[in-house]
Amino acid sequence: MGDFMPGQMCGGTSKVSPATPEIQSLCDQIKAAAEEKAGKKYSEFKAVSFCSQVVSGTNYFVKVNVGGGCIHARIYVKLPCHGGEVSLDSIQTSKTHEDLLAYF
């Protein structure tokens, strides 16, 4: 049997945690892509909270305050042995601060 964190399912997402400077750095890297997908410019782009999922790399699901509301961003980071590139996989717009952050 493997070593798993209590309450975490293999392949599932981690618990939602407050954003860290590392998560903000990921958001800074995908801001232009998020603006392109949303079709608008964001004057504010501040990571609020996140959860992650280990796959063949890591998916980060991040709640981002965009001023007057939030978006949810799914950011994929490749494994270092595959280049470690950061990309925006998907966003959900028109979110509120109260909307739960979950897999999408």
Side-chain angles (χ1 to χ4, degrees):
M1 197 150 206
D3 295 323
F4 299 104
M5 293 178 60
Q8 185 172 5
M9 179 175 42
C10 184
T13 59
S14 66
K15 290 183 179 178
V16 176
S17 301
T20 64
E22 292 80 13
I23 297 301
Q24 182 61 53
S25 175
L26 293 176
C27 288
D28 293 342
Q29 293 177 62
I30 59 91
K31 180 182 180 191
E35 290 174 334
E36 185 176 326
K37 282 189 185 230
K40 59 172 70 172
K41 294 283 186 188
Y42 296 118
S43 59
E44 188 172 349
F45 206 77
K46 183 173 180 186
V48 176
S49 58
F50 77 102
C51 60
S52 61
Q53 176 192 37
V54 176
V55 288
S56 58
T58 305
N59 282 320
Y60 292 94
F61 301 91
V62 186
K63 180 179 288 198
V64 182
N65 181 349
V66 293
C70 290
I71 65 167
H72 290 179
R74 184 172 72 207
I75 303 168
Y76 177 67
V77 180
K78 287 185 177 180
L79 291 169
C81 63
H82 296 292
E85 289 118 6
V86 175
S87 61
L88 176 65
D89 273 358
S90 182
I91 63 170
Q92 295 179 329
T93 58
S94 302
K95 294 292 187 175
T96 68
H97 292 285
E98 292 77 29
D99 287 332
L100 296 177
L101 185 60
Y103 179 91
F104 64 93

